[in-house]
């Protein structure tokens, strides 16, 4: 044990010198502050919500009399709510050459603003009383009079309590190696978003995590190959090591004008140095990429990306799970298609997904997913083999029993475009998944109509595209360069879809805060009428783009919590039609006494269908199962090596 401690001490000192840090000088790992939860509800539209939540402590104090609950947990919950509603700061630092202070040279400090020192002292009395009742060995702090301290094991000493500082009364807690809490908070970055009130800001220096790696290695991690590999991969991604990335973040709201906006900025400094390890695209989206998404999109994502990370992940899993290699080999033998080379490696460049009016009214049925080709000829050749193989399986009584009469992958054309749909001939299944291949895009949707609309859009027969939307065009212009990622939400539309659920949530909050004994405590309408809430609602636009060596992400959205929540509920409500469709499909198919147990053997792991062999039976699939797959492939005309 003594040898290990000495090694850790020497390692920490050595790492400090390697990183060019002055021994004994704390370096910020993470420093952050927020303005208090109440500040996030600063929009005039959230006034009733803010007022209602401010009455929550009053409701909590009534509960012991109604349900016989103990008062102390209620008082503790009330104290926690007060703390979360106040401005607070947190800092994590690393001090080279000082591992004896606890946490191997790291220190953590939290500081919460209080209205006055008396309130902070009352909170402290409650906390210390509960800790003492739990047997915690509390003593008065000798280094910081008026505070308490206790042993925190490897963390060293935990010191906490109320303090009067130059910036006002605080409740603070410190653990580990820490010398000057105010100096730690001085590392907070300056606000950079113009014309806004900052609600959250902070910065993280990943380089200062490097001593963790060295400490783990000194304590025996060097003898574990997996540990070494993990640290190698983490360093390749710029998350540890000399010159690692730095992350700064900021969130604020514009002044109380109409409309108010919530603005967010996140910057990954030095990300260009690690773009290969992180698989970050360097080329920006083109005007053609943005035109591929309709201007009437309700919600859309467009990004530069390929499927190489998936190939890397498969390669990594294959080294640890040989059964996956066996499954992929069996897939290749049965279908004549190499899953990684013919499929994954043939796609990528630009990926887009959206809901829009032009592809189906903006709901779930309008959903479209698109990806560009890297090698169109190779992908389509593999696609032809897979279609033949799939139809051979679907038509096989041996695989599907009585159900073999119904499902087929059917090719068809519309307006000159080659389409493919999964159809259930003679069975009222309310779903027809469809896809198409244009010169540049592979397009898939839940309905044929959605894919037809998407094909028209990429063929120049639609509207001017997402790039013509004023909010998107303005954000791209402000970025000063082509983004690698664009996300857009038409908040007015999604808020309309989510408003009913939002009002139900508002009613739940209001009813929960009303008093059965005090009629005067009336929160009123937590959610404003729809016309008031939707008026001036700001669309949400998120961009990621390169600015020099740094990767920057910006987001502009409506500042109202209620508007944002309603918009999110509107998007989520699109799942309800899917659930209903599933119910109709179950009813329609079960009315024909179709044997789902046979069909399930094909679709789900555990059977001897193709996915069952790939995912469940790869370790010991059995010669019969492999022979069946190969036989089906040959029946489909697939050449199997």
């Amino acid at each position: 044990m003594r040898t290990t401690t000495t090694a850790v001490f020497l390692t920490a000192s050595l790492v400090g010198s390697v990183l060019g840090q002055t021994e004994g000088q704390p370096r910020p790992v993470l420093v952050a502050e927020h303005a208090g939860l109440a500040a996030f509800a600063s929009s005039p539209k959230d006034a009733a919500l803010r007022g209602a939540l401010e009455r929550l402590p009053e409701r909590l104090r009534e509960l012991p009399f109604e349900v016989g609950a103990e008062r102390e947990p209620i008082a503790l919950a009330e104290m926690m709510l007060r703390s979360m509603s106040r401005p607070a700061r947190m800092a994590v630092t690393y001090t080279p050459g000082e591992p004896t202070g606890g946490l191997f040279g790291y220190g953590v400090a939290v500081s919460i603003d209080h209205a006055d020192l008396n309130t902070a002292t009352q909170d402290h009395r409650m906390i210390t009383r509960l800790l003492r009742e739990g047997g915690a060995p509390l003593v008065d702090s000798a280094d910081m009079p008026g505070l308490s301290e206790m042993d925190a094991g490897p963390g060293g000493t935990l010191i906490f309590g109320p303090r009067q500082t130059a910036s006002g009364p605080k409740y603070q807690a410190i653990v580990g190696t820490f010398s000057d809490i105010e100096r730690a908070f001085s590392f907070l970055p300056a606000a950079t978003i113009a014309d806004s009130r900052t609600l959250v800001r902070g910065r993280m220096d990943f380089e200062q995590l490097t001593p963790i790696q060295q400490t783990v290695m000194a304590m025996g991690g060097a003898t574990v190959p997996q540990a070494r590999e993990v640290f190698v991969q983490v360093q390749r991604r710029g998350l540890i090591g000399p010159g690692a990335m730095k992350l700064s973040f900021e969130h604020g709201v514009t002044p109380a004008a109409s409309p108010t906006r919530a603005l967010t900025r996140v910057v990954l400094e030095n990300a260009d140095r690690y773009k290969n390890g992180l698989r970050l695209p360097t080329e920006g989206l083109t005007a053609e990429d943005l035109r591929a998404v309709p201007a009437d999109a309700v919600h859309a994502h467009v990004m530069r990306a390929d499927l190489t990370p998936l190939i890397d992940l498969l390669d990594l899993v294959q080294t640890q799970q040989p059964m996956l290699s066996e499954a992929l080999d069996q897939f290749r033998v049965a279908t004549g298609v190499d899953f990684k080379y013919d499929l994954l490696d043939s796609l990528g460049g630009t990926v887009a997904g959206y809901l829009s009016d032009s592809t189906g009214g903006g709901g779930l049925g309008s959903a479209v997913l698109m990806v560009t080709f890297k090698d169109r000829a190779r992908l389509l050749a593999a696609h032809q083999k897979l279609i033949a193989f799939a139809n051979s399986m679907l038509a096989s009584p041996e695989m599907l029993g009585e159900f073999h009469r119904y499902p087929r992958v059917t090719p068809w054309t519309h307006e000159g475009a080659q389409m493919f749909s999964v159809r259930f001939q003679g069975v009222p299944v309310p779903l027809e998944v469809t896809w198409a291949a244009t010169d540049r895009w592979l397009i898939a949707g839940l309905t044929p109509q959605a894919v037809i609309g998407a094909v028209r859009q990429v063929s120049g027969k639609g509207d001017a595209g997402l790039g013509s939307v004023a909010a998107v065009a303005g954000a791209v212009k402000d970025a000063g360069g082509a983004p690698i990622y664009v996300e857009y939400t038409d908040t007015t539309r999604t808020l309309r879809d989510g408003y009913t659920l939002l009002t139900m949530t508002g009613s739940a909050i209001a009813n929960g805060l009303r008093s059965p004994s005090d009629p005067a405590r009336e929160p009123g309408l937590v959610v404003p009428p729809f016309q008031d809430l939707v008026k001036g609602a700001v669309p949400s636009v998120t961009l990621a783009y390169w600015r020099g060596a740094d990767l920057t992400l910006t987001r502009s959205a409506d500042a109202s919590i209620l508007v944002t929540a309603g918009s999110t509920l509107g998007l989520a409500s699109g799942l309800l039609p899917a659930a209903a469709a599933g119910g109709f499909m179950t009813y329609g198919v079960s009315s024909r006494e179709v044997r789902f147990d046979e069909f399930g053997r094909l679709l789900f792991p555990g059977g001897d269908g193709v996915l069952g062999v790939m995912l469940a039976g790869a370790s010991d699939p059995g010669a019969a199962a492999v022979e069946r797959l190969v036989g089906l492939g040959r029946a489909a005309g697939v050449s199997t090596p």
Side-chain angles (χ1 to χ4, degrees):
M1 179 65 181
R2 188 174 183 178
T3 302
T4 301
T5 303
T6 303
V8 171
F9 182 91
L10 292 174
T11 299
S13 301
L14 177 61
V15 170
S17 63
V18 169
L19 296 179
Q21 297 174 346
T22 304
E23 188 169 317
Q25 294 297 316
R27 299 287 176 139
V29 181
L30 170 66
V31 58
E33 75 168 2
H34 72 82
L37 295 183
F40 287 84
S42 59
S43 169
K45 296 179 181 180
D46 297 332
L49 174 65
R50 185 171 60 252
L53 295 180
E54 287 172 352
R55 298 183 176 186
L56 180 57
E58 299 176 45
R59 179 64 184 133
L60 290 175
R61 286 193 290 270
E62 293 176 336
L63 293 180
F65 301 100
E66 297 176 22
V67 298
E70 296 183 9
R71 296 186 182 184
E72 200 155 63
I74 299 298
L76 183 61
E78 186 179 345
M79 182 193 70
M80 294 175 63
L81 288 172
R82 284 199 310 269
S83 298
M84 289 189 295
S85 67
R86 293 171 176 147
R89 291 178 169 183
M90 182 183 73
V92 180
T93 64
Y94 173 69
T95 305
E98 290 288 340
T100 56
L103 284 181
F104 307 108
Y106 288 92
V108 180
V110 176
S111 180
I112 303 173
D113 288 4
H114 271 255
D116 54 71
L117 195 61
N118 181 56
T119 306
T121 301
Q122 291 177 1
D123 288 349
H124 185 60
R125 288 172 183 163
M126 179 187 300
I127 293 171
T128 54
R129 184 174 70 253
L130 292 174
L131 288 173
R132 286 195 174 98
E133 290 175 358
L138 292 181
V139 298
D140 293 336
S141 175
D143 297 329
M144 304 179 72
L147 277 67
S148 302
E149 66 178 51
M150 60 181 288
D151 180 65
T157 301
L158 171 63
I159 304 174
F160 59 99
R163 293 183 68 199
Q164 182 66 47
T165 71
S167 56
K170 317 281 185 185
Y171 193 91
Q172 298 182 330
I174 305 168
V175 66
T177 302
F178 231 104
S179 57
D180 188 343
I181 187 171
E182 297 305 324
R183 171 175 164 77
F185 294 138
S186 70
F187 294 117
L188 274 168
T192 60
I193 301 178
D195 301 324
S196 70
R197 176 193 174 196
T198 302
L199 302 182
V200 178
R201 60 174 172 151
R203 181 178 173 85
M204 182 166 186
D205 184 352
F206 289 98
E207 182 176 333
Q208 306 307 323
L209 298 178
T210 307
I212 295 177
Q213 172 195 10
Q214 305 299 335
T215 300
V216 171
M217 292 300 182
M219 297 179 69
T223 62
V224 182
Q226 292 89 342
R228 293 199 304 271
E229 178 61 25
V230 166
F231 283 123
V232 167
Q233 294 301 325
V234 170
Q235 187 162 353
R236 284 187 64 242
R237 288 161 174 76
L239 301 179
I240 57 172
M245 294 187 296
K246 295 177 176 61
L247 172 71
S248 61
F249 52 92
E250 183 179 352
H251 176 77
V253 293
T254 56
S258 181
T260 56
R261 294 175 179 268
L263 306 172
T264 304
R265 175 178 291 142
V266 179
V267 179
L268 269 176
E269 301 173 28
N270 303 327
D272 180 67
R273 182 175 178 181
Y274 300 100
K275 60 179 180 292
N276 293 329
L278 293 169
R279 296 293 185 184
L280 295 173
T282 55
E283 296 182 9
L285 294 166
T286 65
E288 183 183 5
D289 292 330
L290 295 180
R291 276 196 301 270
V293 176
D296 62 8
V298 175
H299 181 69
H301 300 257
V302 190
M303 69 190 79
R304 292 287 298 170
D306 62 29
L307 304 185
T308 303
L310 290 179
I311 298 175
D312 293 342
L313 179 61
L314 283 175
D315 290 340
L316 178 62
V317 174
Q318 281 182 259
T319 61
Q320 301 174 358
Q321 299 292 336
M323 70 174 66
L324 179 59
S325 295
E326 297 176 19
L328 292 175
D329 286 343
Q330 291 159 13
F331 179 85
R332 178 182 53 80
V333 169
T335 64
V337 174
D338 186 299
F339 185 78
K340 290 191 291 185
Y341 176 73
D342 292 329
L343 298 182
L344 297 184
D345 195 47
S346 297
L347 294 169
T350 301
V351 178
Y354 62 88
L355 309 171
S356 75
D357 285 336
S358 58
T359 55
L364 180 65
S366 70
V368 169
L369 179 64
M370 311 191 306
V371 58
T372 55
F373 294 108
K374 282 201 299 186
D375 190 326
R376 185 177 185 276
R378 189 203 311 165
L379 189 284
L380 293 184
H383 176 262
Q384 185 176 0
K385 295 178 183 179
L386 291 175
I387 294 297
F389 178 73
N391 278 331
S392 176
M393 285 197 301
L394 294 172
S396 170
E398 185 181 5
M399 292 295 292
L400 296 184
E402 297 176 5
F403 198 70
H404 77 282
R405 301 182 182 91
Y406 309 114
R408 294 291 185 275
V409 179
T410 306
W412 54 289
T413 59
H414 184 85
E415 297 178 355
Q418 181 68 59
M419 319 281 281
F420 299 86
S421 294
V422 179
R423 293 174 173 172
F424 297 82
Q425 303 168 129
V427 182
V429 176
L431 187 66
E432 195 171 339
V433 175
T434 300
W435 62 96
T438 70
D439 291 342
R440 184 167 181 251
W441 295 91
L442 177 64
I443 303 172
L446 295 178
T447 69
Q449 293 84 354
V451 175
I452 290 171
V455 170
R456 287 175 176 172
Q457 182 67 34
V458 301
S459 302
K461 302 174 183 178
D463 56 33
L466 187 64
S468 68
V469 176
V472 175
V476 171
K477 181 179 179 181
D478 292 342
I484 61 173
Y485 173 81
V486 175
E487 177 185 345
Y488 169 76
T489 301
D490 183 349
T491 306
T492 301
R493 283 292 307 278
T494 52
L495 178 59
R496 179 193 310 165
D497 296 334
Y499 183 73
T500 298
L501 291 175
L502 183 66
T503 57
M504 294 170 68
T505 304
S507 294
I509 293 173
N511 282 326
L513 294 177
R514 290 185 174 106
S515 172
S517 58
D518 182 10
R521 194 173 73 232
E522 172 54 53
L525 288 176
V526 172
V527 177
F530 179 74
Q531 289 181 331
D532 298 342
L533 190 63
V534 78
K535 183 178 180 180
V538 174
S540 170
V541 180
T542 302
L543 299 184
Y545 53 90
W546 289 99
R547 182 163 290 174
D550 302 337
L551 181 62
T552 300
L553 182 144
T554 60
R555 182 175 186 268
S556 173
D558 200 285
S560 167
I561 292 177
L562 290 174
V563 169
T564 301
S567 175
T568 303
L569 288 171
L571 285 173
S573 66
L575 297 177
L576 296 178
F584 281 121
M585 183 175 70
T586 301
Y587 172 78
V589 176
S590 63
S591 67
R592 297 182 61 90
E593 298 183 355
V594 174
R595 295 176 58 189
F596 268 103
D597 58 327
E598 294 290 340
F599 191 49
R601 291 165 58 198
L602 172 68
L603 294 180
F604 300 104
D608 54 3
V610 61
L611 294 183
V613 171
M614 285 185 62
L615 301 177
S619 59
D620 184 17
V626 175
E627 183 177 350
R628 174 181 294 182
L629 288 175
V630 173
L632 286 169
R634 288 172 178 162
V638 175
S639 176
T640 55

